[in-house]
Amino acid sequence: MSGGDLYSGLDRYRTLTLTLTIGLMFAGGLSLWGLGSGIYPEVEFPRIVVVARSGDMPPEQMQASVVRPLEQSLATVIGVRRIRTRIIRGAAEIALQFAEGTDMWRSLQLADAAISEARSQIPPDTEIESQKITPADFPILSFNLIGGTATSRREAADFIVRPAFSRAPGVGRVEVVGGDPREVEVVVDPARLATLRLRPSLLAQRVGNAIVRRAVGRLDQDRQLVTVVAETRVSDPADLSRIPVAAGPNGSVALGDVAQVFDGAPDRTLAVHGPEGDAVQISVSRVVGASAPDVVREVQEIAAALRLPEAIRLVQVYNQGELIRESILGIRDAIVIGILLTIGVLAFFLRNVRAGILAALSVPVTLLVTFLAIRLTGQTLNLMSLGGMAVAIGLVIDDAIVVVEAITRRIDEGEAPELAVRGGLREMTAPVVGTTVTTVVVFVPLAFLSGIVGSFFAALALTLVSAVLISLFFAVFVLPLIAGQFLRPRPAARAASGRALGARYARTLRGALHRPAAMAAGACALVLLGAFIATRIPSGFLPEMDEGAFVLDYFLPAGTSLEATDAAALRIESILGQTPGIANWSRRTGAELGPVTATQLNRGDIAVLLKPRGTRSPAEEVMDEVRGRVEHELPGVRVEFVQILEDVLNDLAGNPRPLEVRIVGQDQSVLSRFADEVERRLQDTPHLVDYYRGVEGEVPVLRYALQGDAAQRAGLSPAEVGEDLATALRGSEVGSVPRLDRLVPVRVRFPDAVRFRAEALATWPLALGPSAAPISSLARVVEDKGASVLLRENLSPAAVATGDVEGGDLGGLVKEVRRRLQDMVLPAGYRIEVGGRAESQARAFQQLVVVLVLGILAVFAVLVAQFRAGRAALLVLLAVPPALAGGLLFLAVAGVPLNVSSLMGLVLLVGLVVKNGVLLIDIALERLRGGLPLPVALSGAGRRRLRPILMTTLCTIFGLLPLALSLGAGSELQRPLAVAVIGGLLFSTIATLYMLPALAGFFLRHIGEQAPGSGAP
């Protein structure tokens, strides 16, 4: 259908078309209010974590009796690609990485089935928990509960705060960490117990048997159903003290005669601390699909209305909703600034208020309808989808500019507005559709991307493609209807200014047409420069973003007690309190941020909240200052720094550190030796910080060597002696007593003076029939050493060294590490691998290069279909290499590393830079086929299309400028993309206006020779 016929058809359905457009805008506005928002797109990560806990079992025993059966069973789950295991005292964390595209709910069911199969080979008291890892497992809001006692804080958190927060719409999990859960302690006197000829396990059994509370039947009485209950009246420590546990010469002996009974708490295995002192941390996560800011707002309203016990209060320490709000506002500001800048470009070139308003109208219309597209595709408002809209600002106006410019030019040449609309539509429909399709098709190969890159940039691409297609609909179907009624002829002086610009360009173009070799040489030089830069430019994975918060992970030497770790952490907190820019923090020792995990007592993390942007230094500088002071003042403490969302993404992807050096083999001692060698080789590696050698030191172990013969003579089995030891030292939970609407556990144990003093561990008396003897007569105490942490990679022992990069790029660091390790000789059966986030970066780069090549091929196919000439399509594609080189040059000058965002910008360039070539070569071909000589056709085409080419290019550049300058929070993610596109467009526009016409003699001469009237035979 020709442009005139299209306009006639549109004019017949004018009311319907305009009504449909207004309706879509209204639906888009409604969709905006109903869209959920988050920091990142809702994606599913192919990762499951299994955590097994088995008391205080040493790592070596955990490995043999718990981990190996579980690993061997889990390895059979369909889709498992990698199994990584970390074993500590009493716990093991097994991380399963699955193939991309795996149905993770089904995989979780298969993993649970594999765990059930392995149960028969695992100690029966082992607790196993499995969890599918999603972004919703990580907190979006955290509070510290301070004041009161450790027990009152914990009870307020468990029974007041958690139930209230759980009722908020969208809340998934409310995790409570820290404080002291209430527990009734039965602290036994070993000497009195031995005098009564009772062993610890026997006493625990009797106490448990004495706490009875159960329904035993029912009966009908007086036409009512009566429940029959058997119970002992035990509700407080005093009642428990009166329980008879033995018979003495003067009657029964009460529990209070051999033990102290009081309200207490279990032994602490973790601690939470804040600036105000000891605290309980309450972390709120959302369900998948819930809007994070909405959840945060609901929880904050509930928190403000809570009535807590006197002296206890909530203090907010982390709020992802604020970061989301600031990021969305930052991108909103970038969009608004981009719109204003593009309107300025229109005003400068068109010098026609009506035409400028008409072209600019495409921006609000397109953005509103794009919100509807986001809603229909199940997306949310996040940094990637909104980033796609910000990137699209300069693109969505392109089609409208080209159409409006064509119409206004014809009006300036004297045509009536309606005829100008028909002629402009006839002239520009095919080029506009072609240029839009080239932009869209470059994103089709994104289907080949996997992992975080594929999930995140799919959201950006989907938004961008939707906006571009909607802008095409507006430019071709809606704008002409308005233009015919809205545009008017303008003064001749203003119209002449546009022709003067074309005339000046035509004069400069003549020089280029006579020097094709010089033009080609200049382009080749630029491409060679770009290739050189590509080999030297720093590289990274995802762009860094100032989130306003970070996590400080701290590690003390293996075996450090909770008290010593807590003391060192207090000194780190003191440093944080003295560091400018830090607003608040929450510290956990013996626990970690995020989903289920196994954590040692000698490590922990501090979630640090920074002051608002503009009142402090950048987050990286604050982290560098804290790192320097900690390393100087606490040389025995190893620290790692990472921003919170970056830490979340690393955990989700299964690559928690930027650099990993994995040594895999069978003998742990050999692995330790090679870990020392790797550490020696990597010493003083430039830009390598937070290095961890991958092997923990040994920790002291006191072993009770059970004497089977001695136990047999005393009438006991080794298992019974072991049970006595467990009850005496760790304690035995024997039952519970009612307290209000809950049950409080009861634990039988020995006094701390026996449990926590090495000299008392061998001397406490144990009843042996009618007499008593020191425990050492049955179990000799032996001082020993054992592993503190064992690591495994795909069912084999491993040592995994890790590190971070500071002041350099990850790609350069990996190259240097590989160079330093390349000549290491390992025994047969051992191997060394360099990985971590660097693996994800390498895989993403490979996939993006494939996407780039496929995008070029797709664009070429579209050009061939449009021009019906392969040489013409190749000519237009010649603008791509200078564009890519220009993008790389701008990245290098701006100091932006080559990462997945900048690579995505280079992919986008392929579709953008050919748009100008299409506009120019399309009309040149038309003139050639009309019989004009090639130089005349090219010069006329250049004059006619110069203004739309400059306008579309400058609108795109100015639309991206706020992102390139990182104006506002959240724009850092799109800054590399914007810088690459701006650089590429500048160079490609020059190449399109001068290089393509200069080389057209080689590519288009055959078309001119075949044209009617050209003189060809």
Side-chain angles (χ1 to χ4, degrees):
M1 180 183 291
S2 69
D5 294 338
L6 176 60
Y7 180 76
S8 299
L10 291 174
D11 195 44
R12 283 198 299 272
Y13 297 99
R14 174 187 297 272
T15 304
L16 175 62
T17 303
L18 295 178
T19 302
L20 179 63
T21 303
I22 295 172
L24 290 173
M25 293 171 61
F26 184 72
L30 291 179
S31 299
L32 174 61
W33 289 108
L35 280 173
S37 56
I39 199 71
Y40 291 133
E42 297 285 4
V43 295
E44 184 171 71
F45 290 84
R47 191 162 180 256
I48 290 174
V49 172
V50 177
V51 172
R53 294 184 174 88
S54 189
D56 291 318
M57 188 181 293
E60 298 92 341
Q61 189 176 346
M62 282 288 299
Q63 180 174 238
S65 60
V66 176
V67 169
R68 283 194 64 85
L70 279 175
E71 282 185 340
Q72 290 171 353
S73 185
L74 290 168
T76 64
V77 175
I78 298 173
V80 170
R81 290 293 178 85
R82 187 181 76 185
I83 299 179
R84 174 171 288 186
T85 305
R86 181 170 169 270
I87 310 168
I88 63 173
R89 177 183 57 84
E93 177 184 330
I94 305 173
L96 309 176
Q97 196 78 20
F98 288 80
E100 296 290 340
T102 303
D103 182 347
M104 294 310 299
W105 284 114
R106 180 171 178 269
S107 296
L108 182 61
Q109 294 173 341
L110 294 175
D112 288 338
I115 292 170
S116 299
E117 290 180 8
R119 276 283 186 184
S120 60
Q121 307 172 54
I122 297 173
D125 59 344
T126 302
E127 300 175 2
I128 302 177
E129 182 180 359
S130 60
Q131 183 176 344
K132 180 174 74 75
I133 305 301
T134 68
D137 294 317
F138 295 85
I140 60 172
L141 190 64
S142 293
F143 296 89
N144 277 353
L145 196 63
I146 59 175
T149 65
T151 299
S152 64
R153 284 194 300 272
R154 180 62 187 242
E155 291 188 334
D158 281 334
F159 304 116
I160 299 177
V161 180
R162 194 212 300 259
F165 285 177
S166 298
R167 293 195 301 270
V171 168
R173 184 176 65 173
V174 180
E175 182 184 20
V176 176
V177 177
D180 289 334
R182 190 179 297 275
E183 186 175 78
V184 176
E185 303 292 308
V186 179
V187 180
V188 181
D189 185 322
R192 292 183 185 178
L193 188 65
T195 301
L196 289 174
R197 301 176 184 175
L198 286 176
R199 303 192 334 271
S201 60
L202 182 59
L203 175 69
Q205 182 181 354
R206 292 186 179 182
V207 173
N209 290 339
I211 302 174
V212 177
R213 189 179 306 102
R214 57 181 297 185
V216 295
R218 62 179 182 271
L219 58 87
D220 291 334
Q221 182 178 343
D222 297 330
R223 304 182 68 178
Q224 287 187 317
L225 182 66
V226 179
T227 302
V228 181
V229 179
E231 65 176 4
T232 50
R233 292 285 184 174
V234 178
S235 59
D236 56 34
D239 294 336
L240 203 57
S241 297
R242 292 190 286 268
I243 291 177
V245 293
N250 299 319
S252 61
V253 177
L255 178 61
D257 295 331
V258 295
Q260 293 180 315
V261 185
F262 55 88
D263 280 342
D267 296 335
R268 276 200 175 187
T269 57
L270 58 89
V272 175
H273 205 265
E276 301 85 359
D278 197 36
V280 172
Q281 186 180 77
I282 304 164
S283 301
V284 180
S285 303
R286 63 182 178 88
V287 297
V288 175
S291 175
D294 292 344
V295 174
V296 167
R297 184 177 60 253
E298 293 283 351
V299 172
Q300 287 177 330
E301 291 176 357
I302 292 173
L306 281 177
R307 300 183 62 182
L308 296 171
E310 190 175 354
I312 295 179
R313 61 191 177 93
L314 276 172
V315 177
Q316 183 176 291
V317 292
Y318 177 64
N319 180 1
Q320 191 185 104
E322 183 64 22
L323 172 63
I324 295 171
R325 188 187 70 84
E326 290 180 0
S327 299
I328 290 176
L329 289 178
I331 294 181
R332 180 207 63 185
D333 294 343
I335 291 173
V336 172
I337 294 172
I339 292 173
L340 294 177
L341 290 174
T342 55
I343 291 176
V345 172
L346 293 175
F348 176 79
F349 278 96
L350 293 177
R351 301 187 183 184
N352 184 327
V353 174
R354 289 175 176 265
I357 293 174
L358 187 58
L361 187 62
S362 66
V363 177
V365 173
T366 298
L367 293 184
L368 278 174
V369 182
T370 301
F371 287 124
L372 176 61
I374 292 175
R375 180 69 175 269
L376 294 176
T377 54
Q379 298 289 317
T380 61
L381 291 181
N382 52 68
L383 292 184
M384 303 310 294
S385 59
L386 283 173
M389 297 186 75
V391 171
I393 289 301
L395 306 183
V396 299
I397 203 171
D398 282 2
D399 293 341
I401 286 174
V402 172
V403 174
V404 169
E405 195 278 337
I407 295 172
T408 55
R409 177 171 36 77
R410 287 174 174 269
I411 292 176
D412 292 341
E413 291 172 354
E415 292 187 13
E418 184 172 334
L419 292 177
V421 170
R422 292 176 181 272
L425 200 58
R426 182 187 310 111
E427 177 186 350
M428 301 308 303
T429 298
V432 164
V433 172
T435 56
T436 302
V437 172
T438 58
T439 304
V440 171
V441 295
V442 295
F443 289 108
V444 173
L446 285 179
F448 291 93
L449 290 181
S450 60
I452 292 178
V453 177
S455 302
F456 279 27
F457 284 92
L460 183 146
L462 182 62
T463 306
L464 185 57
V465 167
S466 300
V468 170
L469 290 176
I470 292 166
S471 71
L472 173 65
F473 173 87
F474 176 82
V476 174
F477 295 103
V478 180
L479 187 147
L481 296 177
I482 304 174
Q485 305 294 323
F486 190 66
L487 294 181
R488 296 288 184 272
R490 57 178 177 163
R494 293 188 181 181
S497 64
R499 292 192 291 271
L501 178 64
R504 286 194 295 270
Y505 163 66
R507 286 195 297 272
T508 60
L509 177 60
R510 281 195 290 271
L513 291 175
H514 290 93
R515 297 177 181 85
M519 293 292 104
C524 289
L526 177 62
V527 172
L528 290 175
L529 177 61
F532 175 78
I533 291 173
T535 62
R536 298 292 189 272
I537 190 171
S539 62
F541 185 38
L542 289 172
E544 294 182 352
M545 186 176 84
D546 189 335
E547 303 171 13
F550 66 86
V551 175
L552 188 161
D553 292 311
Y554 56 91
F555 309 82
L556 272 76
T560 304
S561 66
L562 180 64
E563 291 74 17
T565 305
D566 198 52
L570 284 172
R571 294 183 62 186
I572 298 176
E573 288 188 61
S574 175
I575 293 173
L576 294 175
Q578 299 167 21
T579 303
I582 292 179
N584 205 342
W585 65 83
S586 178
R587 189 253 298 175
R588 302 190 293 188
T589 301
E592 293 181 59
L593 173 77
V596 56
T597 187
T599 308
Q600 297 168 276
L601 301 183
N602 65 320
R603 65 179 293 180
D605 61 29
I606 305 176
V608 181
L609 179 66
L610 299 178
K611 293 179 180 177
R613 292 164 64 112
T615 64
R616 58 169 172 83
S617 302
E620 287 291 337
E621 293 183 12
V622 176
M623 289 190 284
D624 290 344
E625 181 179 350
V626 175
R627 177 188 287 112
R629 288 198 58 184
V630 172
E631 291 177 350
H632 175 71
E633 299 178 23
L634 297 167
V637 179
R638 180 171 63 88
V639 290
E640 295 176 355
F641 292 79
V642 64
Q643 297 197 64
I644 289 181
L645 293 176
E646 183 182 357
D647 189 35
V648 169
L649 288 179
N650 292 338
D651 287 344
L652 286 168
N655 293 316
R657 303 298 297 156
L659 175 71
E660 288 184 356
V661 179
R662 297 187 291 268
I663 312 168
V664 183
Q666 293 300 317
D667 190 329
Q668 197 68 40
S669 61
V670 175
L671 294 174
S672 180
R673 188 172 73 250
F674 280 108
D676 292 338
E677 173 67 11
V678 169
E679 183 179 25
R680 184 189 65 78
R681 287 171 175 255
L682 297 185
Q683 267 186 336
D684 303 322
T685 300
H687 310 303
L688 177 62
V689 296
D690 298 345
Y691 183 77
Y692 164 59
R693 62 189 291 265
V695 176
E696 295 275 1
E698 292 185 321
V699 295
V701 177
L702 284 179
R703 300 187 187 276
Y704 277 101
L706 300 178
Q707 309 296 314
D709 293 343
Q712 195 67 37
R713 288 193 297 270
L716 299 174
S717 67
E720 289 174 314
V721 177
E723 187 65 28
D724 287 332
L725 289 169
T727 300
L729 304 183
R730 191 175 66 225
S732 178
E733 191 174 312
V734 297
S736 57
V737 297
R739 189 75 54 88
L740 299 176
D741 62 341
R742 65 202 71 128
L743 295 175
V744 178
V746 177
R747 183 178 300 274
V748 177
R749 62 174 176 85
F750 273 13
D752 292 347
V754 175
R755 298 193 302 148
F756 300 146
R757 288 176 56 225
E759 60 272 19
L761 290 176
T763 59
W764 59 269
L766 179 67
L768 300 175
S771 60
I775 185 63
S776 57
S777 64
L778 299 180
R780 181 167 51 89
V781 179
V782 179
E783 293 187 4
D784 197 358
K785 288 187 176 181
S788 58
V789 179
L790 295 175
L791 302 178
R792 295 171 63 83
E793 186 85 15
N794 291 326
L795 284 68
S796 295
V800 183
T802 62
D804 206 340
V805 59
E806 177 191 319
D809 66 293
L810 182 56
L813 176 62
V814 169
K815 290 178 183 177
E816 178 62 17
V817 168
R818 292 186 191 276
R819 185 188 67 80
R820 293 182 177 223
L821 301 180
Q822 64 185 356
D823 59 346
M824 273 190 67
V825 180
L826 278 72
Y830 290 76
R831 67 183 187 276
I832 188 168
E833 304 168 348
V834 178
R837 202 187 310 161
E839 282 180 308
S840 300
Q841 174 183 321
R843 184 167 59 251
F845 277 27
Q846 291 171 358
Q847 293 175 347
L848 282 169
V849 169
V850 172
V851 168
L852 182 63
V853 173
L854 292 177
I856 292 174
L857 293 176
V859 168
F860 178 69
V862 172
L863 293 176
V864 170
Q866 181 171 0
F867 293 143
R868 300 186 300 279
R871 286 190 177 186
L874 283 174
L875 176 62
V876 172
L877 277 182
L878 285 181
V880 172
L884 298 179
L888 290 169
L889 179 59
F890 260 56
L891 289 172
V893 171
V896 177
L898 188 66
N899 51 43
V900 293
S901 179
S902 49
L903 277 173
M904 186 62 67
L906 297 180
V907 171
L908 177 59
L909 267 177
V910 174
L912 292 182
V913 300
V914 300
K915 295 178 71 172
N916 292 336
V918 169
L919 291 176
L920 182 67
I921 301 303
D922 177 76
I923 192 170
L925 289 174
E926 179 183 332
R927 290 171 178 245
L928 277 174
R929 288 168 178 148
L932 290 177
L934 181 60
V936 177
L938 290 171
S939 179
R943 285 197 306 271
R944 195 171 186 89
R945 293 293 165 83
L946 174 66
R947 192 167 64 166
I949 287 175
L950 291 179
M951 290 170 64
T952 56
T953 299
L954 291 176
C955 280
T956 302
I957 289 174
F958 281 107
L960 291 172
L961 197 58
L963 293 179
L965 297 176
S966 285
L967 301 179
S971 58
E972 297 99 328
L973 284 178
Q974 280 77 38
R975 180 173 182 249
L977 182 150
V979 170
V981 171
I982 288 175
L985 280 178
L986 285 175
F987 282 91
S988 70
T989 301
I990 297 173
T992 298
L993 292 176
Y994 291 98
M995 185 193 74
L996 295 193
L999 300 181
F1002 174 76
F1003 287 91
L1004 303 184
R1005 188 174 303 278
H1006 69 290
I1007 298 178
E1009 292 172 350
Q1010 297 169 5
S1014 63

